[in-house]
């Protein structure tokens, strides 16, 4: 190798090392900002939850975040993924937290690690592993010794892991902030004095882990010093931290919202989102995080609940698949540039508020050294207004903020979108032939029937109706409640059979009822009320009748005081009701046989071998319990509405 090439190599290597280790910095804060390496910073952050995409997607998502003007990537840490069984850890594949944080560093971005370990996040059981619920004497999120011991063990495990990999900024890594707990202040009153002492304990425990970077607590107005209390919400400009020594930080600016099954697809106009961000920086904020910047997908059974959908798209600047969502992404990118042009003035001084008039607000950041940046806001929702500021006239559209990095020229107004509107158009072009070629017969679909009722060896019998989560330990969404009972020929119920109903009450979330192998009805709750009460008309025959009730959970609750105590399943009563008085039969306390999970899950569908899957060209229809499978790829084409001449076409396979 020629010496010139060696020199070049050494130079390149030096550059890479520099690029990935340029963080080594003390992180502190003062009343104005987070201070990194002695410098106050204006920081724009965005949430990307690593298990909601694939490791293959991470570099692209992070790069698109950087291109969009982010400085920081925020993620929660998901305890129930990492420790599915107590003391058995999993940090592989989509769960590879270290890899994710390292990729953030490689892109030259900072990280905010919200350890929780309670995370809410529309995540199954709020991120807590189910086994936690079975620890004797445990009470979640309060001053309870068994809970605190487990919370401390997991938090310390994560902190140690980050330390070993030198991922804290104090060690040269990208992590500049960590969060303990999550929005406990929203529900702490339900826990009384024990809630207050728990939060003090959590603060002390976190600080004792000695990360070398600040800790935050969101929505916790009494966060003990030196922990920074931060704001979550659609607007946080009116927020003030609980001490003059703490900066004004916004950890969750909801870029859209999550989708529930049966609910409307959420949408937050970018003009409003940009308005909220500009108002926050106008009024002294210096750290703002989009929740979510990329929402992604709730894979497997990770959705919280009840009834949180598998898509966690969130109307975020990067859509579920990681594609740039326009004009959201582009308008925010323009906003971030405008805010960064003001950074030097913003962090150097406190603002003044010269009067502009009702529903109007001017904010000026002016330093002795001649820096001057200003924000002009029209917070009225009805009319555009022309204002006079520093001798010049400015038109302020309703509900908008103009940013003037030099106190004179407007570089950005939140209501005026200049970025292109790219509209992705999805088209299904072909069904992929699966590895098993028999799957490709006909339309590409194949199926397997699921037996009705008990089919597994581990079924068991107990008197009475059992609560579902305590029975399944969330090993499956499904629990069969089965019963065979003898109906006597002279049973009054049979006299007017046409009026008999099966009455079932369930704590949720959904159920299917079968009598003698036939579906008699289905019912389900909703995200606001998971309970199900049904009355299915039935026809009973004298002699043996079999009742098979299949109860389903659709994501375990993730929010609210004592949410871990919310039950599910058919806790009763289950009754056969006739039309006349005294003709009811209560089945609730009979001997029920229980089966957790379905046969299909036991056989590990849908990845079961090809011989189990039937791919006849006509699929069974209108049959209650069938597993269907298809594998497909989709292509997308996107084009620019504003620039149709330069048609921008991209095709990608997933
Ligand atoms: C917040 C919570 C987040 C998420 C969000 C809604 O209150 O902290 O984890 O649940 O609401 O998407």
């Amino acid at each position: 190798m020629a010496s010139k090439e060696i020199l070049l190599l050494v130079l390149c290597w030096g550059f890479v090392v520099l690029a990935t280790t340029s963080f080594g910095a003390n992180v502190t804060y003062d009343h104005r900002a987070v201070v990194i390496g002695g410098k106050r910073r204006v920081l724009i952050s965005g949430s990307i939850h690593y298990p909601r995409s694939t490791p293959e997607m991470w570099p692209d998502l992070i790069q698109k975040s950087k291109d969009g003007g982010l400085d920081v990537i925020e993620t929660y840490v998901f305890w129930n993924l990492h420790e599915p069984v107590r003391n058995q850890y999993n940090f592989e594949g989509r769960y590879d937290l270290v890899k994710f944080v390292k990729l953030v560093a490689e892109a030259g971005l900072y990280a905010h690690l919200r350890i929780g370990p309670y995370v809410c996040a529309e995540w199954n059981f709020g991120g807590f592993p189910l086994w936690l619920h079975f620890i004797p004497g445990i009470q979640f999120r309060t001053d309870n010794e068994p809970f605190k011991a487990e919370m401390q063990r997991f938090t310390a495990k994560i902190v140690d892991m980050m330390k070993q990999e030198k991922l804290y900024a104090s060690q040269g890594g990208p992590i500049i902030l960590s969060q303990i707990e999550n929005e406990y202040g929203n529900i702490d009153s339900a826990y009384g004095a024990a809630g207050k002492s728990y939060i003090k304990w959590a603060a002390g425990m976190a600080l004792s882990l000695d990360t070398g970077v600040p800790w935050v607590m969101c929505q916790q107005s009494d966060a003990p010093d030196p922990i920074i209390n931060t704001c979550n919400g659609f607007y946080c400009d009116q927020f003030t931290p609980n001490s003059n020594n703490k900066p004004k930080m916004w950890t969750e600016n909801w870029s859209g919202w999550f989708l529930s099954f049966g609910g409307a697809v959420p949408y937050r106009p970018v003009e409003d989102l940009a308005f909220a961000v500009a108002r926050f920086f106008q009024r002294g904020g210096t750290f703002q995080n989009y929740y979510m910047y990329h929402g992604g997908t709730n894979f497997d059974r990770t959705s919280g609940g009840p009834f949180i959908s598998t898509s966690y798209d969130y109307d975020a600047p990067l859509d579920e698949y990681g594609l740039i969502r326009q004009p959201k992404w582009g308008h925010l990118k323009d906003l971030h540039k405008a805010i960064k042009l003001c950074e030097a003035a913003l962090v150097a001084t406190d603002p003044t508020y010269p009067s502009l008039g009702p529903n109007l607000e001017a904010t000026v950041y002016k330093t002795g050294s001649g820096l001057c940046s200003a924000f002009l806001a029209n917070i009225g929702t009805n009319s555009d207004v022309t204002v006079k500021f520093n001798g010049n006239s400015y038109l302020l559209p309703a509900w908008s903020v103009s940013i003037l990095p030099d106190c004179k020229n407007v570089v950005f107004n939140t209501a005026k979108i200049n970025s292109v509107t790219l509209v992705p158009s999805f088209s299904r072009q072909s069904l992929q032939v699966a590895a098993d070629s028999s799957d490709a017969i006909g339309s590409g679909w194949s199926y397997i029937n699921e037996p009705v009722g008990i089919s597994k060896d581990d079924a068991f019998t107990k008197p009475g109706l059992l609560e579902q989560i305590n029975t399944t330990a969330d090993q499956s969404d499904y629990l069969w409640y089965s019963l065979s009972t003898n109906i006597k020929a002279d049973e009054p119920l049979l006299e007017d059979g046409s009026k008999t109903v099966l009455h079932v009450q369930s704590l949720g979330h959904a159920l299917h009822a079968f009598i003698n192998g036939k579906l008699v009805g289905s019912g389900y709750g909703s995200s606001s009320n998971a309970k199900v009460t049904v009355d299915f008309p039935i026809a009973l025959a004298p002699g043996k009748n079999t009742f098979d009730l299949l109860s389903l959970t659709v994501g375990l609750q993730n929010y609210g005081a004592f949410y871990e105590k919310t039950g599910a399943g058919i806790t009763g009563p289950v009754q056969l009701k006739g039309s006349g008085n005294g003709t009811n039969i209560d089945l609730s306390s009979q001997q029920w046989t229980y089966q957790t999970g379905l046969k299909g899950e036991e056989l590990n569908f849908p990845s079961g071998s090809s011989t189990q899957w039937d791919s006849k060209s006509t699929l069974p229809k209108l049959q209650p319990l069938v597993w269907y499978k298809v594998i497909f790829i989709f292509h997308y084409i996107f084009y620019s509405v504003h620039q149709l001449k330069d048609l921008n076409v991209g095709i990608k396979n997933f």
Side-chain angles (χ1 to χ4, degrees), residues 49 52 76 114 118-123 179 182-183 186 218-219 232-233 252 254 256-258 291-292 312 314 558-559:
H49 296 158
R52 285 179 156 143
Y76 282 128
R114 299 171 84 195
Y118 166 72
V119 295
C120 191
E122 291 69 70
W123 194 262
Q179 179 179 298
N182 191 79
E183 292 193 336
N186 288 359
C218 59
Q219 296 290 93
N232 291 348
E252 288 182 29
W254 298 319
W257 198 241
F258 59 86
Y291 186 102
M292 305 290 299
Y312 200 64
Y314 221 91
N558 57 270
Y559 182 71

Side-chain angles (χ1 to χ4, degrees), residues 21-293:
T21 56
S22 58
F23 296 102
N26 257 348
V27 184
T28 56
Y29 63 81
D30 62 18
H31 80 290
R32 197 64 195 90
V34 172
V35 179
I36 305 178
K39 273 182 74 178
R40 285 183 182 159
R41 293 298 312 274
V42 161
L43 294 168
I44 315 275
S45 172
S47 297
I48 301 177
H49 296 158
Y50 53 97
R52 285 179 156 143
S53 54
T54 62
E56 294 74 21
M57 291 165 77
W58 294 343
D60 181 57
L61 295 175
I62 294 166
Q63 188 58 43
K64 284 173 175 160
S65 307
K66 186 176 182 177
D67 295 345
L70 298 197
D71 307 295
V72 184
I73 303 291
E74 175 275 338
T75 183
Y76 282 128
V77 178
F78 298 88
W79 187 358
N80 54 9
L81 288 188
H82 295 306
E83 200 179 352
V85 176
R86 193 159 180 266
N87 286 319
Q88 287 180 27
Y89 295 98
N90 183 353
F91 289 93
E92 302 295 314
R94 276 191 297 110
Y95 311 167
D96 196 341
L97 172 63
V98 166
K99 178 173 180 169
F100 181 76
V101 176
K102 284 185 174 170
L103 286 169
V104 170
E106 274 167 35
L109 298 182
Y110 295 120
H112 176 198
L113 200 65
R114 299 171 84 195
I115 300 178
Y118 166 72
V119 295
C120 191
E122 291 69 70
W123 194 262
N124 197 45
F125 216 39
F128 285 143
L130 224 284
W131 52 257
L132 202 63
H133 173 68
F134 293 107
I135 291 184
I138 201 157
Q139 285 230 39
F140 288 7
R141 303 179 73 201
T142 188
D143 197 350
N144 167 275
E145 294 307 324
F147 176 75
K148 290 190 297 182
E150 292 301 317
M151 172 167 165
Q152 174 157 11
R153 189 176 57 75
F154 182 73
T155 309
K157 162 107 191 158
I158 296 298
V159 168
D160 285 350
M161 192 175 216
M162 298 299 116
K163 278 188 185 169
Q164 263 171 33
E165 300 284 343
K166 304 218 177 320
L167 291 176
Y168 283 103
S170 48
Q171 304 171 292
I175 304 173
I176 54 165
L177 293 165
S178 280
Q179 179 179 298
I180 193 76
E181 249 296 340
N182 191 79
E183 292 193 336
Y184 191 68
N186 288 359
I187 47 120
D188 62 359
S189 59
Y191 294 86
K196 297 270 169 222
S197 48
Y198 163 63
I199 224 58
K200 281 203 188 103
W201 168 83
M205 184 273 286
L207 294 168
S208 75
L209 297 175
D210 206 13
T211 60
V213 303
W215 285 92
V216 305
M217 283 182 170
C218 59
Q219 296 290 93
Q220 192 70 51
S221 55
D222 59 353
D225 294 342
I227 295 194
I228 308 167
N229 64 310
T230 65
C231 184
N232 291 348
F234 286 108
Y235 307 96
C236 277
D237 47 281
Q238 303 298 323
F239 168 79
T240 44
N242 64 12
S243 146
N244 289 338
N245 303 322
K246 296 178 185 176
K248 172 168 171 169
M249 296 175 67
W250 189 359
T251 33
E252 288 182 29
N253 177 4
W254 298 319
S255 56
W257 198 241
F258 59 86
L259 176 66
S260 297
F261 285 122
V265 175
Y267 166 67
R268 185 177 187 191
V270 70
E271 293 91 330
D272 180 60
L273 182 56
F275 173 82
V277 176
R279 287 287 290 151
F280 180 72
F281 285 101
Q282 170 169 18
R283 296 190 62 90
T286 40
F287 176 101
Q288 185 271 156
N289 177 69
Y290 295 102
Y291 186 102
M292 305 290 299
Y293 197 75

